[in-house]
Amino acid sequence: MAENQIRVLIAKPGLDGHDRGAKVVAQALRDAGMEVIYTGLRRTPEQIVSAAIQEDVQVVGLSSLSGAHNHLFQKVASLLKEKGHEEILLIGGGIIPEKDRKQLEDAGFDRIFSPGTSTEKIVSYIKEKVNG
Amino acid sequence: MKDKDRQEKIQEILKKWREGPFAKFQQRGWNEAYTSYREPVKEVYTPLDFSDDKFLEKTGFPGEYPFVRGVYPTMYRGRPWTMRQYAGFASAEESNRRYRYLLDQGQTGLSVAFDLPTQIGLDSDHILADGEVGKVGVPIDSLADMEVLFDQIPLDKVSTSMTINSPAAVLLAMYIALAEKQGVSADKLKGTIQNDILKEYFARGTYIFPPAPSLRLITDIFAFCSKELPNWNTISISGYHIREAGANAVQELAFTLADGIAYVEAALEAGLKIDEFAPRLSFFFNAQMNLLEEVAKFRAARRLWAKIMEEKFGAENPKSKMLRFHTQTAGASLTAQQAQNNIVRVTIQALAAVLGGTQSLHTNSYDEAWALPSEESVRIALRTQQIIAHESGATSTVDPLGGSYYLESLTEDMEKRVEEYLEKIEEMGGMVKAIEKGYVQREIQKNAYEMQKRIEKEEDIVVGVNKFAQEEEPPADLLEVDPQMEKEQIKKLKDVKQNRDEEKVKKSLEQMKKTAEENENLMPAIVEAVKAYATLGEICGVLRSIYGEYQAPTF
Amino acid sequence: MGEKIKELAQGIVKGEERALARGLTLVENRKEGYQELLDLIYPEVKPCPIWGLTGAPGVGKSTITNFLVDKLAQRREKVGVIAVDPTSPFSGGAILGDRVRMMDLAGREGIFIRSMASRGALGGLSPAIMDAVSLFQAFGVDRIVVETVGVGQSETDIVSLADTVAVILMPGTGDDVQTIKAGLLEIGDVFVVNKADLEGAETLAGLLQSMLSGKNDDENRVPVVLKLIASQGKNLEELMSFLEKHQEYIETSGQKERKERMRTEMALKMHLQARYQDLFLKPLLGTEKWEQAISSINKREKSPAFWAKKIISGSE
């Protein structure tokens, strides 16, 4: 049963205080049987990456609604790369324009989810990617 | 007796109707309907739900206690609501240009959006500010930035609303210092600071200090303004963000009023008199999609607050009992899918605010689920308000929905449920305790999660998202903030620090520290510090060192 | 498999974070190779003091842990933190929220924080947590802080694990006579009344004092009651110095050996139980014999006690 326990880090980089989406997603992942580590607000990319490594998560999910995603999300991606953790599934969500979405996916994000995405979709995406 | 006969008669006919024609048609098709707080809505409302004999006590007249129909007798026939669009740009220069343009166009009210580092009391060069400078509003590090922001804008001629909470005292001090430089005395200043810290802890997230010292800063502002800035709205008690965080309409109202009660109690405890500060309290609500429920919410809010102020706090001045409020349409209701549909959503929400008697209104732009609004989308949002004001007829009479059986009964029902929440919170020891225990957060989170699940099960329909969806190209032409701005702002901050009198800064900060430790009113000391060009981060840093920082309860 | 596990064990012993993180996952998931890993690192386990903090959700455990770990790290100690949160009995998932309070420590040199879900171990500690401690000790930490959610009733495992146990309580949450009776008194070396500015703090502290006064350990030591306000940093230093003094006492009084033995016994018992589950109980479920027993019990022919005995003796 515990064989394929999926562990996910849900993080809020930067100063954005809107955590409704992050918390709804965290609850949905828990209800789908995953172990979710939530970082709370105002985290630096360095803190997020360090937590992801120590917690040995398979998935990191970032949320930002303040427009700082380009800078902060990319920093998380490049830090993960730098520390040799490209295998971690990296996803994001929030208020992110299409142009930036593409840019982030090029920078190492596996997927940026747009507003209105169902949690069911996120759950099945993670399960499929992690369990193959 | 005659009334009683009538009630019985209605009851009898209603019963017949329900069992006869209604039951017959119901078999052909019938959908359940609920309020946002999951109360079933009846098939039809009658005087049995709100009888005429309640009119004088419950409904009454506009401008009269309990103000359910509006705080002023004439409402929009006398003067339309203030159309106040919240805006802030990546730099003080750019914002100043926009404000001056708006003023040239005849606008008299400004509404300043600050960036997140400013809202959290951090200078632009702080490590946590990395990537956030100028993103959601204008960065203000010191009085020097304020001077640019209001360059050539006479502060005695405009009213300025500032969305600033935890460091509200500092930004207000900068505004006062700037006025002094312009030769405008403080008593001429008009405007609002949001200054509502409690909702930051559970709904908006830009808190700095723990609740007790934060409340102290707030009451310092109340006391200072009641003497020095009599025309200033010292707080805007905000339900907007509570609703955005996932609350339903009753929770929005209950938690906002509970916050309001906490501020009043804090001010009374600090020795202020109720009628000294209560007339300057103002509110800020959300307008969501359920048109009639929202109208009932605004009406219930007024009646509840009037009652609380009169019965709980013994206010005498009628102005103390008037709940005046600003409204913003619901950001969370905007969809990224088929974004232009949002124009329609905003129209319905804005109409709710107007039918509910708002004093001012911000309408969202249709592209905000993707980015900060473009100039075009902002214009449509403003035009929406103008169409309602001039073409819809919604303003022709005061409280046009008053007397509707459904609306009046809904108003009463929400009122009752809010009172239940307020009692519960009081039992817990008040709003601060309820927040510290995580109660408020859990209530909102639970509602947010249930809403999301209902949408995913298609029990609730969102057009273009879980029904009537279509393939589409995401919008282009979105507003972008130049990342270069951050570097420029940091350079400006450096320049300020190089050119100021360090000794003066040090002294003023020390004085501030002393004042804070001695529990004296902090406002005058903060004004002195900003005049010496101490930065926002330095001033908040001193306070952080004394008060510590708030730690949110775990999930 | 063998090579990979060996590499992992070497990494852990060399103090590589990544290896420790992976190793912890392996023992937590009870995946193939975890026993081998434990075998490999065991000779390298360097015992270190273990502090346990327990209390109901929301009493301020993480804030206190955060403070203690920060202090220890300032002294250049290497600290391992294990934060245990309950698993949802419905979905098997969990939200591990303790890290929220400790995020300021993330990325700091010498601090390694790991959140673990209880995964069915009722309020207590799962064998995986005992093994996690061993991994931390092979990795080479100077101290381990274990934070568990006390549910008031079965939170006694922590005593077998930690050298020093701090029980955290707060006024006004039903931490009254009833819950205290339920066994908490037996496990604490120090009782912390957090949020001491709240109403009822004095009463709670007084109640604890009087209940504890008749109770002492083999050395006639009565547990200490401390009042503090963790969110404002009040009296946290006192807690720190108590914990250190207690540690000193443990080390000089011969308690250390006793604690070691308790830990070892606990670990052995847990592994035996797990083996029993894997090798005996799990294969039995759904077999003919199992069904036979169930139906016989349901028909009131024989009792569960009878069948338990019969199955065991039959397998001998």
Side-chain angles (χ1 to χ4, degrees), chain B residues 238-266:
Chain B
S238 308
Y240 178 81
H241 318 90
I242 299 173
R243 191 68 176 275
E244 290 290 294
N248 61 40
V250 164
Q251 289 170 334
E252 177 191 355
L253 212 49
F255 298 149
T256 310
L257 296 183
D259 284 346
I261 290 169
Y263 297 128
V264 171
E265 283 171 344

PDB file of all heavy atoms in Angstrom, chain B residues 238-266:
ATOM      1  N   SER B 238     -12.356  45.160   5.820  1.00  0.00           N
ATOM      2  CA  SER B 238     -12.517  44.546   4.501  1.00  0.00           C
ATOM      3  C   SER B 238     -12.994  43.107   4.527  1.00  0.00           C
ATOM      4  O   SER B 238     -12.321  42.231   5.048  1.00  0.00           O
ATOM      5  CB  SER B 238     -11.187  44.604   3.760  1.00  0.00           C
ATOM      6  OG  SER B 238     -10.690  45.929   3.757  1.00  0.00           O
ATOM      7  N   GLY B 239     -14.144  42.901   3.908  1.00  0.00           N
ATOM      8  CA  GLY B 239     -14.616  41.542   3.687  1.00  0.00           C
ATOM      9  C   GLY B 239     -14.213  41.045   2.318  1.00  0.00           C
ATOM     10  O   GLY B 239     -14.283  39.858   2.034  1.00  0.00           O
ATOM     11  N   TYR B 240     -13.798  41.983   1.467  1.00  0.00           N
ATOM     12  CA  TYR B 240     -13.474  41.624   0.090  1.00  0.00           C
ATOM     13  C   TYR B 240     -12.544  40.422   0.017  1.00  0.00           C
ATOM     14  O   TYR B 240     -12.826  39.421  -0.639  1.00  0.00           O
ATOM     15  CB  TYR B 240     -12.834  42.820  -0.643  1.00  0.00           C
ATOM     16  CG  TYR B 240     -12.455  42.465  -2.054  1.00  0.00           C
ATOM     17  CD1 TYR B 240     -13.423  42.470  -3.054  1.00  0.00           C
ATOM     18  CD2 TYR B 240     -11.164  42.070  -2.392  1.00  0.00           C
ATOM     19  CE1 TYR B 240     -13.112  42.097  -4.347  1.00  0.00           C
ATOM     20  CE2 TYR B 240     -10.854  41.693  -3.679  1.00  0.00           C
ATOM     21  CZ  TYR B 240     -11.822  41.709  -4.659  1.00  0.00           C
ATOM     22  OH  TYR B 240     -11.509  41.324  -5.935  1.00  0.00           O
ATOM     23  N   HIS B 241     -11.438  40.517   0.733  1.00  0.00           N
ATOM     24  CA  HIS B 241     -10.410  39.474   0.633  1.00  0.00           C
ATOM     25  C   HIS B 241     -10.834  38.184   1.312  1.00  0.00           C
ATOM     26  O   HIS B 241     -10.374  37.106   0.963  1.00  0.00           O
ATOM     27  CB  HIS B 241      -9.106  39.998   1.220  1.00  0.00           C
ATOM     28  CG  HIS B 241      -8.816  41.412   0.815  1.00  0.00           C
ATOM     29  ND1 HIS B 241      -9.254  42.488   1.570  1.00  0.00           N
ATOM     30  CD2 HIS B 241      -8.223  41.922  -0.283  1.00  0.00           C
ATOM     31  CE1 HIS B 241      -8.905  43.605   0.957  1.00  0.00           C
ATOM     32  NE2 HIS B 241      -8.287  43.297  -0.170  1.00  0.00           N
ATOM     33  N   ILE B 242     -11.736  38.335   2.292  1.00  0.00           N
ATOM     34  CA  ILE B 242     -12.239  37.153   2.994  1.00  0.00           C
ATOM     35  C   ILE B 242     -13.042  36.304   2.006  1.00  0.00           C
ATOM     36  O   ILE B 242     -12.901  35.096   1.924  1.00  0.00           O
ATOM     37  CB  ILE B 242     -13.108  37.589   4.198  1.00  0.00           C
ATOM     38  CG1 ILE B 242     -12.262  38.401   5.186  1.00  0.00           C
ATOM     39  CG2 ILE B 242     -13.747  36.389   4.870  1.00  0.00           C
ATOM     40  CD1 ILE B 242     -13.032  39.034   6.335  1.00  0.00           C
ATOM     41  N   ARG B 243     -13.862  37.003   1.214  1.00  0.00           N
ATOM     42  CA  ARG B 243     -14.648  36.293   0.206  1.00  0.00           C
ATOM     43  C   ARG B 243     -13.744  35.699  -0.858  1.00  0.00           C
ATOM     44  O   ARG B 243     -13.911  34.553  -1.290  1.00  0.00           O
ATOM     45  CB  ARG B 243     -15.632  37.275  -0.437  1.00  0.00           C
ATOM     46  CG  ARG B 243     -16.689  36.608  -1.314  1.00  0.00           C
ATOM     47  CD  ARG B 243     -17.639  35.777  -0.480  1.00  0.00           C
ATOM     48  NE  ARG B 243     -18.720  35.185  -1.245  1.00  0.00           N
ATOM     49  CZ  ARG B 243     -19.861  35.808  -1.528  1.00  0.00           C
ATOM     50  NH1 ARG B 243     -20.063  37.047  -1.146  1.00  0.00           N
ATOM     51  NH2 ARG B 243     -20.803  35.185  -2.204  1.00  0.00           N
ATOM     52  N   GLU B 244     -12.751  36.463  -1.270  1.00  0.00           N
ATOM     53  CA  GLU B 244     -11.813  35.973  -2.290  1.00  0.00           C
ATOM     54  C   GLU B 244     -11.083  34.725  -1.803  1.00  0.00           C
ATOM     55  O   GLU B 244     -10.744  33.843  -2.576  1.00  0.00           O
ATOM     56  CB  GLU B 244     -10.775  37.046  -2.649  1.00  0.00           C
ATOM     57  CG  GLU B 244     -11.336  38.218  -3.406  1.00  0.00           C
ATOM     58  CD  GLU B 244     -11.742  37.861  -4.832  1.00  0.00           C
ATOM     59  OE1 GLU B 244     -10.858  37.530  -5.631  1.00  0.00           O
ATOM     60  OE2 GLU B 244     -12.952  37.903  -5.131  1.00  0.00           O
ATOM     61  N   ALA B 245     -10.828  34.674  -0.493  1.00  0.00           N
ATOM     62  CA  ALA B 245     -10.108  33.528   0.060  1.00  0.00           C
ATOM     63  C   ALA B 245     -10.990  32.291   0.119  1.00  0.00           C
ATOM     64  O   ALA B 245     -10.516  31.221   0.487  1.00  0.00           O
ATOM     65  CB  ALA B 245      -9.577  33.863   1.454  1.00  0.00           C
ATOM     66  N   GLY B 246     -12.268  32.433  -0.222  1.00  0.00           N
ATOM     67  CA  GLY B 246     -13.113  31.252  -0.312  1.00  0.00           C
ATOM     68  C   GLY B 246     -14.292  31.208   0.630  1.00  0.00           C
ATOM     69  O   GLY B 246     -14.963  30.190   0.730  1.00  0.00           O
ATOM     70  N   ALA B 247     -14.553  32.330   1.332  1.00  0.00           N
ATOM     71  CA  ALA B 247     -15.691  32.363   2.250  1.00  0.00           C
ATOM     72  C   ALA B 247     -17.000  32.462   1.462  1.00  0.00           C
ATOM     73  O   ALA B 247     -17.007  32.893   0.309  1.00  0.00           O
ATOM     74  CB  ALA B 247     -15.570  33.560   3.192  1.00  0.00           C
ATOM     75  N   ASN B 248     -18.125  32.091   2.084  1.00  0.00           N
ATOM     76  CA  ASN B 248     -19.430  32.370   1.489  1.00  0.00           C
ATOM     77  C   ASN B 248     -19.905  33.747   1.973  1.00  0.00           C
ATOM     78  O   ASN B 248     -19.210  34.410   2.749  1.00  0.00           O
ATOM     79  CB  ASN B 248     -20.429  31.251   1.818  1.00  0.00           C
ATOM     80  CG  ASN B 248     -20.664  31.095   3.311  1.00  0.00           C
ATOM     81  OD1 ASN B 248     -20.761  32.090   4.036  1.00  0.00           O
ATOM     82  ND2 ASN B 248     -20.751  29.856   3.777  1.00  0.00           N
ATOM     83  N   ALA B 249     -21.090  34.146   1.512  1.00  0.00           N
ATOM     84  CA  ALA B 249     -21.548  35.512   1.797  1.00  0.00           C
ATOM     85  C   ALA B 249     -21.734  35.748   3.296  1.00  0.00           C
ATOM     86  O   ALA B 249     -21.405  36.822   3.813  1.00  0.00           O
ATOM     87  CB  ALA B 249     -22.854  35.793   1.052  1.00  0.00           C
ATOM     88  N   VAL B 250     -22.264  34.754   4.002  1.00  0.00           N
ATOM     89  CA  VAL B 250     -22.481  34.925   5.434  1.00  0.00           C
ATOM     90  C   VAL B 250     -21.147  35.019   6.168  1.00  0.00           C
ATOM     91  O   VAL B 250     -20.955  35.863   7.054  1.00  0.00           O
ATOM     92  CB  VAL B 250     -23.344  33.762   5.999  1.00  0.00           C
ATOM     93  CG1 VAL B 250     -23.271  33.699   7.512  1.00  0.00           C
ATOM     94  CG2 VAL B 250     -24.786  33.916   5.533  1.00  0.00           C
ATOM     95  N   GLN B 251     -20.206  34.175   5.768  1.00  0.00           N
ATOM     96  CA  GLN B 251     -18.884  34.228   6.405  1.00  0.00           C
ATOM     97  C   GLN B 251     -18.198  35.560   6.121  1.00  0.00           C
ATOM     98  O   GLN B 251     -17.551  36.143   6.992  1.00  0.00           O
ATOM     99  CB  GLN B 251     -18.011  33.080   5.892  1.00  0.00           C
ATOM    100  CG  GLN B 251     -18.467  31.719   6.400  1.00  0.00           C
ATOM    101  CD  GLN B 251     -17.757  30.576   5.700  1.00  0.00           C
ATOM    102  OE1 GLN B 251     -17.299  30.717   4.563  1.00  0.00           O
ATOM    103  NE2 GLN B 251     -17.660  29.439   6.375  1.00  0.00           N
ATOM    104  N   GLU B 252     -18.333  36.037   4.892  1.00  0.00           N
ATOM    105  CA  GLU B 252     -17.738  37.328   4.544  1.00  0.00           C
ATOM    106  C   GLU B 252     -18.231  38.399   5.520  1.00  0.00           C
ATOM    107  O   GLU B 252     -17.456  39.155   6.106  1.00  0.00           O
ATOM    108  CB  GLU B 252     -18.103  37.730   3.107  1.00  0.00           C
ATOM    109  CG  GLU B 252     -17.562  39.120   2.721  1.00  0.00           C
ATOM    110  CD  GLU B 252     -18.138  39.659   1.412  1.00  0.00           C
ATOM    111  OE1 GLU B 252     -18.889  38.944   0.731  1.00  0.00           O
ATOM    112  OE2 GLU B 252     -17.819  40.814   1.081  1.00  0.00           O
ATOM    113  N   LEU B 253     -19.534  38.421   5.683  1.00  0.00           N
ATOM    114  CA  LEU B 253     -20.146  39.440   6.532  1.00  0.00           C
ATOM    115  C   LEU B 253     -19.761  39.232   7.992  1.00  0.00           C
ATOM    116  O   LEU B 253     -19.378  40.171   8.693  1.00  0.00           O
ATOM    117  CB  LEU B 253     -21.666  39.315   6.363  1.00  0.00           C
ATOM    118  CG  LEU B 253     -22.483  40.566   6.481  1.00  0.00           C
ATOM    119  CD1 LEU B 253     -21.893  41.654   5.624  1.00  0.00           C
ATOM    120  CD2 LEU B 253     -23.920  40.278   6.024  1.00  0.00           C
ATOM    121  N   ALA B 254     -19.873  37.992   8.450  1.00  0.00           N
ATOM    122  CA  ALA B 254     -19.631  37.698   9.862  1.00  0.00           C
ATOM    123  C   ALA B 254     -18.194  38.031  10.251  1.00  0.00           C
ATOM    124  O   ALA B 254     -17.948  38.693  11.261  1.00  0.00           O
ATOM    125  CB  ALA B 254     -19.921  36.225  10.146  1.00  0.00           C
ATOM    126  N   PHE B 255     -17.237  37.597   9.443  1.00  0.00           N
ATOM    127  CA  PHE B 255     -15.836  37.805   9.818  1.00  0.00           C
ATOM    128  C   PHE B 255     -15.450  39.279   9.691  1.00  0.00           C
ATOM    129  O   PHE B 255     -14.621  39.777  10.441  1.00  0.00           O
ATOM    130  CB  PHE B 255     -14.916  36.899   8.998  1.00  0.00           C
ATOM    131  CG  PHE B 255     -15.176  35.420   9.224  1.00  0.00           C
ATOM    132  CD1 PHE B 255     -14.965  34.495   8.217  1.00  0.00           C
ATOM    133  CD2 PHE B 255     -15.653  34.972  10.453  1.00  0.00           C
ATOM    134  CE1 PHE B 255     -15.217  33.139   8.439  1.00  0.00           C
ATOM    135  CE2 PHE B 255     -15.908  33.620  10.683  1.00  0.00           C
ATOM    136  CZ  PHE B 255     -15.686  32.702   9.667  1.00  0.00           C
ATOM    137  N   THR B 256     -16.054  39.977   8.730  1.00  0.00           N
ATOM    138  CA  THR B 256     -15.765  41.404   8.598  1.00  0.00           C
ATOM    139  C   THR B 256     -16.297  42.170   9.812  1.00  0.00           C
ATOM    140  O   THR B 256     -15.591  42.995  10.397  1.00  0.00           O
ATOM    141  CB  THR B 256     -16.422  41.974   7.328  1.00  0.00           C
ATOM    142  OG1 THR B 256     -16.078  41.142   6.226  1.00  0.00           O
ATOM    143  CG2 THR B 256     -15.951  43.391   7.054  1.00  0.00           C
ATOM    144  N   LEU B 257     -17.529  41.879  10.173  1.00  0.00           N
ATOM    145  CA  LEU B 257     -18.100  42.594  11.315  1.00  0.00           C
ATOM    146  C   LEU B 257     -17.375  42.209  12.604  1.00  0.00           C
ATOM    147  O   LEU B 257     -17.170  43.046  13.487  1.00  0.00           O
ATOM    148  CB  LEU B 257     -19.600  42.320  11.422  1.00  0.00           C
ATOM    149  CG  LEU B 257     -20.444  42.830  10.234  1.00  0.00           C
ATOM    150  CD1 LEU B 257     -21.927  42.572  10.467  1.00  0.00           C
ATOM    151  CD2 LEU B 257     -20.220  44.320   9.960  1.00  0.00           C
ATOM    152  N   ALA B 258     -16.959  40.940  12.698  1.00  0.00           N
ATOM    153  CA  ALA B 258     -16.205  40.522  13.884  1.00  0.00           C
ATOM    154  C   ALA B 258     -14.882  41.289  13.960  1.00  0.00           C
ATOM    155  O   ALA B 258     -14.444  41.697  15.040  1.00  0.00           O
ATOM    156  CB  ALA B 258     -15.946  39.021  13.845  1.00  0.00           C
ATOM    157  N   ASP B 259     -14.246  41.487  12.804  1.00  0.00           N
ATOM    158  CA  ASP B 259     -13.038  42.326  12.764  1.00  0.00           C
ATOM    159  C   ASP B 259     -13.377  43.732  13.260  1.00  0.00           C
ATOM    160  O   ASP B 259     -12.657  44.314  14.076  1.00  0.00           O
ATOM    161  CB  ASP B 259     -12.489  42.422  11.336  1.00  0.00           C
ATOM    162  CG  ASP B 259     -11.758  41.153  10.901  1.00  0.00           C
ATOM    163  OD1 ASP B 259     -11.451  40.318  11.777  1.00  0.00           O
ATOM    164  OD2 ASP B 259     -11.507  40.999   9.692  1.00  0.00           O
ATOM    165  N   GLY B 260     -14.483  44.273  12.732  1.00  0.00           N
ATOM    166  CA  GLY B 260     -14.905  45.620  13.120  1.00  0.00           C
ATOM    167  C   GLY B 260     -15.093  45.726  14.628  1.00  0.00           C
ATOM    168  O   GLY B 260     -14.634  46.684  15.265  1.00  0.00           O
ATOM    169  N   ILE B 261     -15.749  44.732  15.194  1.00  0.00           N
ATOM    170  CA  ILE B 261     -15.978  44.730  16.646  1.00  0.00           C
ATOM    171  C   ILE B 261     -14.642  44.731  17.386  1.00  0.00           C
ATOM    172  O   ILE B 261     -14.449  45.459  18.362  1.00  0.00           O
ATOM    173  CB  ILE B 261     -16.845  43.513  17.045  1.00  0.00           C
ATOM    174  CG1 ILE B 261     -18.272  43.711  16.522  1.00  0.00           C
ATOM    175  CG2 ILE B 261     -16.848  43.305  18.559  1.00  0.00           C
ATOM    176  CD1 ILE B 261     -19.155  42.471  16.610  1.00  0.00           C
ATOM    177  N   ALA B 262     -13.691  43.914  16.887  1.00  0.00           N
ATOM    178  CA  ALA B 262     -12.372  43.844  17.541  1.00  0.00           C
ATOM    179  C   ALA B 262     -11.680  45.212  17.520  1.00  0.00           C
ATOM    180  O   ALA B 262     -11.051  45.618  18.504  1.00  0.00           O
ATOM    181  CB  ALA B 262     -11.499  42.797  16.858  1.00  0.00           C
ATOM    182  N   TYR B 263     -11.796  45.950  16.386  1.00  0.00           N
ATOM    183  CA  TYR B 263     -11.164  47.274  16.321  1.00  0.00           C
ATOM    184  C   TYR B 263     -11.826  48.249  17.284  1.00  0.00           C
ATOM    185  O   TYR B 263     -11.153  49.026  17.950  1.00  0.00           O
ATOM    186  CB  TYR B 263     -11.212  47.826  14.890  1.00  0.00           C
ATOM    187  CG  TYR B 263     -10.437  46.991  13.903  1.00  0.00           C
ATOM    188  CD1 TYR B 263     -11.013  46.549  12.718  1.00  0.00           C
ATOM    189  CD2 TYR B 263      -9.116  46.629  14.168  1.00  0.00           C
ATOM    190  CE1 TYR B 263     -10.309  45.766  11.821  1.00  0.00           C
ATOM    191  CE2 TYR B 263      -8.405  45.848  13.272  1.00  0.00           C
ATOM    192  CZ  TYR B 263      -9.004  45.418  12.099  1.00  0.00           C
ATOM    193  OH  TYR B 263      -8.305  44.646  11.227  1.00  0.00           O
ATOM    194  N   VAL B 264     -13.154  48.196  17.326  1.00  0.00           N
ATOM    195  CA  VAL B 264     -13.863  49.109  18.232  1.00  0.00           C
ATOM    196  C   VAL B 264     -13.449  48.816  19.669  1.00  0.00           C
ATOM    197  O   VAL B 264     -13.138  49.724  20.444  1.00  0.00           O
ATOM    198  CB  VAL B 264     -15.391  48.977  18.052  1.00  0.00           C
ATOM    199  CG1 VAL B 264     -16.120  49.758  19.138  1.00  0.00           C
ATOM    200  CG2 VAL B 264     -15.813  49.483  16.671  1.00  0.00           C
ATOM    201  N   GLU B 265     -13.403  47.536  20.010  1.00  0.00           N
ATOM    202  CA  GLU B 265     -13.031  47.176  21.381  1.00  0.00           C
ATOM    203  C   GLU B 265     -11.602  47.620  21.705  1.00  0.00           C
ATOM    204  O   GLU B 265     -11.326  48.120  22.801  1.00  0.00           O
ATOM    205  CB  GLU B 265     -13.192  45.668  21.597  1.00  0.00           C
ATOM    206  CG  GLU B 265     -14.672  45.303  21.774  1.00  0.00           C
ATOM    207  CD  GLU B 265     -14.926  43.804  21.786  1.00  0.00           C
ATOM    208  OE1 GLU B 265     -14.029  43.032  21.371  1.00  0.00           O
ATOM    209  OE2 GLU B 265     -16.037  43.407  22.197  1.00  0.00           O
ATOM    210  N   ALA B 266     -10.713  47.448  20.733  1.00  0.00           N
ATOM    211  CA  ALA B 266      -9.322  47.861  20.958  1.00  0.00           C
ATOM    212  C   ALA B 266      -9.244  49.364  21.188  1.00  0.00           C
ATOM    213  O   ALA B 266      -8.504  49.848  22.053  1.00  0.00           O
ATOM    214  CB  ALA B 266      -8.449  47.455  19.777  1.00  0.00           C
TER     215      ALA B 266
END
